[in-house]
Each structure stands twice: as C-alpha cells, then as structure tokens.
C-alpha cells in the first residue's frame, strides 16, 4: 500500500486531516501507557515499521531467521496473518494453507520454518514457545503493546522515508516518530535514500540494507506482473540485473488473482513469446494449479555491515537480553 499522493507532500488536504491525525496518535499513545505487556518463555525480536505499507520487513525477518539457524536456534515467526480469513491461532502449513487463509507473508515464512498467525500476539507467542521455539521473530506488530519485545527493529524505506511526516490519515505514519523511535533498539534503512531527521535526533543505531536477488533473472523474454506496494521496484530490479522484460502488468497490493486474469496474462505473454514472472509474495497468492506456469524471482535482504547486525542481535538470540 503506497497510499494517496498527498501522503508524500504537504498540502491543504494533509492540513485538513491533521486534527484527526492528532486524535489518532493520542489514542495510540494512550493505549501504550495503559498497557501491561506480557512476557513469554522465549526471547522475542520484532521487525516493524512506523508507516502504513511495506518497507521490506519480510526479507529482514527471513535474514534474522537465517542468523538464528546459523547459531543452531529454532526460530519461529509470528505475524497477524494480514489478508487471511483465519482469525484464530494457527500454525501455518505451506502444503495445506492458501494465501486466502493466512495471508501471503505467512506462506512465505512457512516455507522457511515454523510460522504462526494470531490476532492475539501473546497467545501466538506462547504457542510458539510451547512448541519449542528458541526465538520468536515478529513480522510487524511494533505498534502492538501486548507482548514484551526483547529487541525491536524499525525498518524504513529509504526512498519514501516518513512521507510528509504526518500521522494517518493526514500522512503515512502509524504513530508520531519520536514516540515510536523511543521504543526502537535499531533502525534499518532499506535501500538508498535520506535518513529522516527524527531518526538522526533519537540517536538509535542505524543499519543500512538493500534487497538483492537470490538468483540471476531467467533468460529469454519475460512478462512481469506484480500486486505489491510498489510494482515498479520489482520491474526495475529485474531489469537492472539483466532481465529482459518485454511487458509488465501491475495490480493493487495483496491482489487476489482470478483464473480469468491469469489466463489473460498467459495469452499476452504468448503474444510476446515470453514467460510469466512475478514476486515471491505474488507467487504465494497464485492458485496452486497456476504455480507451475509462472516463474518466481526471489530477493533477500543484504546488509552493508552484516557483522554489526550479528553483534547487535547476538545477546538476544543467546538469551541474554538486549545488547548493552
């Protein structure tokens, strides 16, 4: 979700909505001050953001799970299951569940290892701990005060930053930056761009990362399609790595692809003597019978200073709490 254009500029509409934004932020902060967060029997690392929409949290979560595995830890991922119809506590099974059930992000994580969805984050974390999790990694949930987080990352898109700097609905922010950054242990700037002033002021450690392809692009003509927050980012990355895109088609974020749409895409691809290719998130939302007809191009988070990330998170992964 990239949001309306005025979220990225100061104009009369953002000014008009500012009183509502102030009320929204006050309610959020009041909820945090009244909260009584619960602790579970496993350390919890949260990967969140301060804005509405995607910033690259999911690749960061996958990178953290890899770090945990390298230390011999069984990391479980916990998320809300955005876009899925299942509302109760569920352990996600890639071979059984569909994106309509649990959401596309949950399916991606389930390919990597144990993954849980739960609207009640405390119940989800307890279930993961009871199932043997050495570490629980939250994909989103930074604004949820119910669960104690042992370490919290805030991921910021380098290109869009905090937009116009206003809280929803006047802008893209979920909360006031100073309030959110005051709970963060580190910031991850995803992709090139200017670091927001609020981040520089708060003095929280900053890591820089970017999305890089896990594999080279397939050869031959490619018909690319995507239903993510910024499809152009996918197309540009594919082209920059040598992919020969002859045509592209964009859909809304978290779009559910119908048989009619996919059949039309396949016909158009044949017109260009091309193969269909999409993102991992879009691939997870495809009907199973269509997955053999579509190529997927995975990306992963690459940190400029991977050693700094490892040193930062090691004390929590080893059960010793936050780094000093």
């Amino acid at each position: 979700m990239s949001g309306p254009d005025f979220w990225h500029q100061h104009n009369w509409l953002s000014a008009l909505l500012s009183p509502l934004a102030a009320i929204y932020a006050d309610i959020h902060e009041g909820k945090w001050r009244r909260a009584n967060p619960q602790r579970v029997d496993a350390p919890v690392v949260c990967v969140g953001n301060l804005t509405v929409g995607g910033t690259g949290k999911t690749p960061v979560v996958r990178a953290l799970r890899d770090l945990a595995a390298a230390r011999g830890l069984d990391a479980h991922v916990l998320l809300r299951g955005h876009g899925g119809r299942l509302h109760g506590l569920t352990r996600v099974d890639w071979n059984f569940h569909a994106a309509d059930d649990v959401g596309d992000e949950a399916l991606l994580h389930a390919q990597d290892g144990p993954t849980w969805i739960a609207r009640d984050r405390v119940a989800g974390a307890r279930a993961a701990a009871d199932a043997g999790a050495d570490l629980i990694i939250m994909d989103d949930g930074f604004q949820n005060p119910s669960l104690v987080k042992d370490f919290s990352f805030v991921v910021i898109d380098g290109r869009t930053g905090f937009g116009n700097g206003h809280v929803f609905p006047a802008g893209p922010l979920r909360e006031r930056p100073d309030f959110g950054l005051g709970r963060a242990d580190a910031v991850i700037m995803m992709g090139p761009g200017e670091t927001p002033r609020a981040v520089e002021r708060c003095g929280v450690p900053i890591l820089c990362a970017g999305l890089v392809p896990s594999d080279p692009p397939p050869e031959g003509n490619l018909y690319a399609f995507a239903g993510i927050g910024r499809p152009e980012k996918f197309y540009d990355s594919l082209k920059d790595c040598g992919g020969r895109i002859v045509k592209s088609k964009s859909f809304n974020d978290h779009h559910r692809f119908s048989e009619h749409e996919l059949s039309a895409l396949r016909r158009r691809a044949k017109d260009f003597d091309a193969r269909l290719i999409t993102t991992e998130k879009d691939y997870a939302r495809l009907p199973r019978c269509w997955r053999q007809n579509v190529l997927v191009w995975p990306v992963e988070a690459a940190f400029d200073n991977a050693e700094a990330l490892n040193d930062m998170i090691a004390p929590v992964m080893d059960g010793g709490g936050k780094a000093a």
Side-chain angles (χ1 to χ4, degrees):
M1 178 181 177
S2 57
D5 291 341
F6 76 86
W7 277 5
H8 304 284
Q9 55 188 298
H10 297 277
N11 63 12
W12 66 270
L13 195 50
S14 60
L16 181 67
L17 293 171
S18 290
L20 286 177
I23 294 172
Y24 182 92
D26 288 344
I27 291 173
H28 171 74
E29 292 175 17
K31 183 171 69 172
W32 267 90
R33 294 188 179 100
R34 294 189 300 271
N36 181 28
Q38 304 296 302
R39 182 173 289 280
V40 297
D41 293 331
V44 175
V45 174
C46 179
V47 180
N49 63 6
L50 299 187
T51 55
V52 175
T55 55
K57 297 186 301 296
T58 296
V60 170
V61 170
R62 301 179 87 178
L64 290 174
R65 190 184 325 235
D66 288 342
L67 282 178
R71 305 179 81 85
L73 301 177
D74 183 15
H76 290 212
V77 170
L78 172 64
L79 62 170
R80 186 175 182 270
H82 177 75
R85 64 177 179 81
L86 298 180
H87 298 288
L89 172 64
T90 304
R91 184 162 180 167
V92 182
D93 185 339
W94 165 261
N95 295 311
F96 176 76
H97 291 113
D100 286 342
D101 300 320
V102 298
D104 48 19
E105 290 98 342
L107 279 184
L108 283 184
H109 291 310
Q111 292 182 85
D112 301 334
T115 300
W116 303 79
I117 62 166
R119 302 298 197 265
D120 183 338
R121 305 299 173 86
V122 176
R126 283 176 176 159
D130 291 344
D134 298 312
L135 176 72
I136 298 168
I137 308 174
M138 297 179 68
D139 187 337
D140 210 3
F142 183 69
Q143 281 72 34
N144 188 309
S146 63
L147 182 64
V148 172
K149 288 102 170 172
D150 295 281
F151 201 97
S152 291
F153 291 99
V154 167
V155 184
I156 301 173
D157 187 312
R159 189 182 74 88
T160 58
F162 292 157
N164 61 11
H166 292 295
V167 174
F168 179 87
L173 285 164
R174 298 182 180 189
E175 56 183 316
R176 294 183 179 103
D178 290 346
F179 187 75
L181 292 169
R183 307 192 310 276
D185 297 292
V187 162
I188 298 173
M189 292 298 302
M190 185 62 71
E194 185 176 346
T195 302
R197 293 179 184 175
V199 175
E200 296 175 342
R201 288 199 307 268
C202 76
V204 68
I206 302 171
L207 298 170
C208 295
L211 298 180
V212 298
S214 304
D215 301 301
E219 295 182 356
N221 293 340
L222 301 172
Y223 191 118
F225 69 97
I228 56 177
R230 288 182 14 231
E232 296 77 14
K233 188 174 182 179
F234 168 59
Y235 309 145
D236 291 343
S237 296
L238 193 52
K239 290 176 184 176
D240 290 344
C241 290
R244 191 188 309 159
I245 297 180
V246 295
K247 191 71 175 177
S248 62
K249 175 72 174 177
S250 300
F251 298 85
N252 292 330
D253 196 11
H254 298 287
H255 182 75
R256 294 289 187 265
F257 299 100
S258 68
E259 290 281 344
H260 174 75
E261 289 170 332
L262 292 168
S263 295
L265 285 170
R266 182 166 60 182
R267 288 194 300 271
R268 289 289 288 157
K270 286 183 177 179
D271 291 341
F272 289 93
D273 189 27
R275 291 182 292 172
L276 292 172
I277 189 168
T278 193
T279 70
E280 284 187 286
K281 283 190 177 183
D282 291 295
Y283 187 81
R285 294 196 302 276
L286 296 178
R288 292 187 185 277
C289 61
W290 273 91
R291 290 178 183 168
Q292 62 185 359
N293 301 313
V294 178
L295 300 172
V296 60
W297 195 56
V299 295
E300 58 188 23
F303 287 80
D304 291 358
N305 190 340
E307 185 176 351
L309 171 66
N310 188 66
D311 291 344
M312 185 179 292
I313 201 67
V316 178
M317 289 193 173
D318 293 341
K322 297 180 180 180

